[in-house]
Amino acid sequence: MKAVVFHEHGGVDKLRYEDVADAPGPGAHEVKIRVRGCGVNHLDIWVREGMRGLDIPMPHILGSEVTGEIVEAGKSALGFKVGQRVMVTPGISCRRCRHCLSGNDSQCEEFQIVGFQTQGGYAEFITVSATNVLPISDAWSLEEWAAVPLVFLTAWHMLLKRGGLRPGEDVLIHAAGSGIGSAAVQIAKLCGARVITTVGSREKIEKAKKLGADDVINYREQDFSEAVKKLTGGKGVELVFEHIGQETWEKSLRSLAKGGRMAICGVTGGPTGTVDIPFLFLRQLSIHGSYMGGRNELLDVIRLIEQGKLRPVVDTIFPLKDAAPAQKKMAERKFFGKLVLRP
């Protein structure tokens, strides 16, 4: 089969579109899927570049957000049939520990992500456990569905379970034009919050408002923390949705109201940040780390997308062979929503 692989860590030039061994036939509890869409994520870039302490199978196939059609189902993969439209749930866990049984799959000691610690969806076929497969309707195209699993699940878990967002609260969501930002704006608005978001160009302002943002700050033209204070009458927001990291860390904390919370899941703008400890405890602020989410939360997301209350936002669909240009476009932030590969 054709796949995009890399044999060593490095730049986008390490990505190769080549023939590889076909995805294996499914075991008893597995299904084999013909990939029709695979979302591109910053995680793909980090894995390709190499992460400290990371040990991944080489050569490696990236891709965590996978949709397609079943071409073969194992004899014990009950409820699945050839030709069925499905989505791969990106989180892999043991399904038996206390974290998994309580719906906190991503806290499982054995937790992995498809396309990160395992081979992923930058390929024509993928074979996965049936427990990691969910049926999807034809309400959206398979390429659009591929813009859902990782970003919507992460945003949902981050806003609601970790951030504790409540109706009527003010929330600051960074980078409405990113995959996770475009998902978060919609979720926060659906929950009844006042949504303040940032973008990096004037062209993205109207797009953010169409998603539901109440106020949009161009961070290249304004200090977003000062703008937040003005928009909230000097109070600040109850919750900051932080996935940039070092680049925005200090100003994000300064944007919080007394007793406010910040949830963080990513470091696209750098991995380190300092904290003024007295500022933290005098204002009684809370910082919540967030990592993916549980399968039960993804089921909630899928139901709302089926109903049209949330929607996937796709900027560009690339042929699989153009994975390198797609990752380059992501790194340059020249998109709004999701970039998707189509084998």
Side-chain angles (χ1 to χ4, degrees):
M1 69 176 181
K2 291 290 188 180
V4 173
V5 304
F6 63 90
H7 298 260
E8 60 181 342
H9 295 295
V12 292
D13 60 299
K14 300 299 181 183
L15 296 175
R16 296 282 185 268
Y17 180 66
E18 58 188 43
D19 290 305
V20 300
D22 194 10
H29 298 280
E30 294 179 324
V31 296
K32 183 175 179 178
I33 300 166
R34 181 185 297 277
V35 179
R36 296 300 190 185
C38 184
V40 179
N41 290 283
H42 277 284
L43 176 62
D44 303 341
I45 296 175
W46 298 334
V47 175
R48 185 249 301 151
E49 291 177 339
M51 301 166 65
R52 184 180 300 174
L54 174 66
D55 183 21
I56 62 171
M58 288 284 196
H60 194 71
I61 302 173
L62 297 164
S64 304
E65 294 181 298
V66 183
T67 57
E69 300 142 347
I70 293 177
V71 295
E72 191 175 352
K75 62 181 180 181
S76 298
L78 304 179
F80 293 104
K81 59 184 180 181
V82 173
Q84 189 172 12
R85 293 161 54 99
V86 293
M87 169 191 296
V88 176
T89 63
I92 303 170
S93 61
C94 74
R95 307 285 187 191
R96 60 183 182 275
C97 70
R98 64 185 180 89
H99 298 298
C100 291
L101 295 175
S102 63
N104 296 310
D105 310 21
S106 59
Q107 295 179 23
C108 174
E109 294 294 338
E110 299 179 22
F111 188 76
Q112 296 183 325
I113 298 177
V114 172
F116 180 5
Q117 293 95 342
T118 72
Q119 303 291 4
Y122 281 28
E124 292 182 307
F125 297 94
I126 187 173
T127 300
V128 296
S129 169
T131 59
N132 276 84
V133 177
L134 295 173
I136 51 177
S137 75
D138 58 1
W140 303 91
S141 70
L142 288 169
E143 293 92 344
E144 288 171 317
W145 275 116
V148 171
L150 190 73
V151 292
F152 272 91
L153 173 57
T154 301
W156 183 277
H157 182 72
M158 193 170 161
L159 285 169
L160 303 183
K161 196 157 190 175
R162 301 298 293 156
L165 183 64
R166 295 184 289 273
E169 288 190 320
D170 295 330
V171 57
L172 170 63
I173 295 172
H174 282 299
S178 66
I180 192 170
S182 62
V185 167
Q186 295 182 69
I187 294 168
K189 192 62 179 178
L190 186 63
C191 291
R194 177 195 180 187
V195 180
I196 302 171
T197 191
T198 64
V199 295
S201 69
R202 295 181 182 182
E203 294 74 24
K204 294 182 179 181
I205 292 175
E206 284 305 313
K207 292 180 179 181
K209 288 183 177 179
K210 286 181 180 178
L211 285 182
D214 296 286
D215 298 284
V216 184
I217 302 165
N218 185 337
Y219 66 82
R220 297 188 189 278
E221 297 180 351
Q222 294 177 276
D223 181 311
F224 73 80
S225 62
E226 292 181 2
V228 164
K229 289 297 179 70
K230 289 180 181 178
L231 289 168
T232 58
K235 171 183 67 70
V237 296
E238 281 78 23
L239 177 65
V240 172
F241 183 92
E242 172 63 80
H243 55 103
I244 309 299
Q246 185 174 330
E247 186 179 322
T248 53
W249 176 261
E250 184 177 346
K251 289 182 179 180
S252 288
L253 286 172
R254 297 284 174 184
S255 299
L256 286 170
K258 281 191 174 182
R261 298 98 60 198
M262 182 165 77
I264 182 164
C265 74
V267 288
T268 57
T272 61
T274 59
V275 176
D276 183 334
I277 298 174
F279 179 81
L280 196 67
F281 66 71
L282 288 172
R283 295 185 64 83
Q284 301 186 63
L285 306 178
S286 302
I287 300 174
H288 302 270
S290 188
Y291 189 59
M292 279 277 288
R295 187 172 183 270
N296 60 330
E297 294 171 291
L298 184 55
L299 291 172
D300 290 335
V301 165
I302 290 174
R303 183 173 64 250
L304 291 168
I305 290 178
E306 294 274 14
Q307 295 171 358
K309 294 179 180 179
L310 299 173
R311 65 180 180 88
V313 181
V314 176
D315 179 280
T316 308
I317 299 172
F318 291 83
L320 178 60
K321 65 181 179 63
D322 289 340
Q327 287 195 7
K328 184 178 179 182
K329 185 170 185 174
M330 170 163 281
E332 295 173 346
R333 303 182 183 180
K334 295 180 178 179
F335 63 100
F336 191 98
K338 289 289 295 181
L339 306 176
V340 175
L341 300 177
R342 178 171 54 200

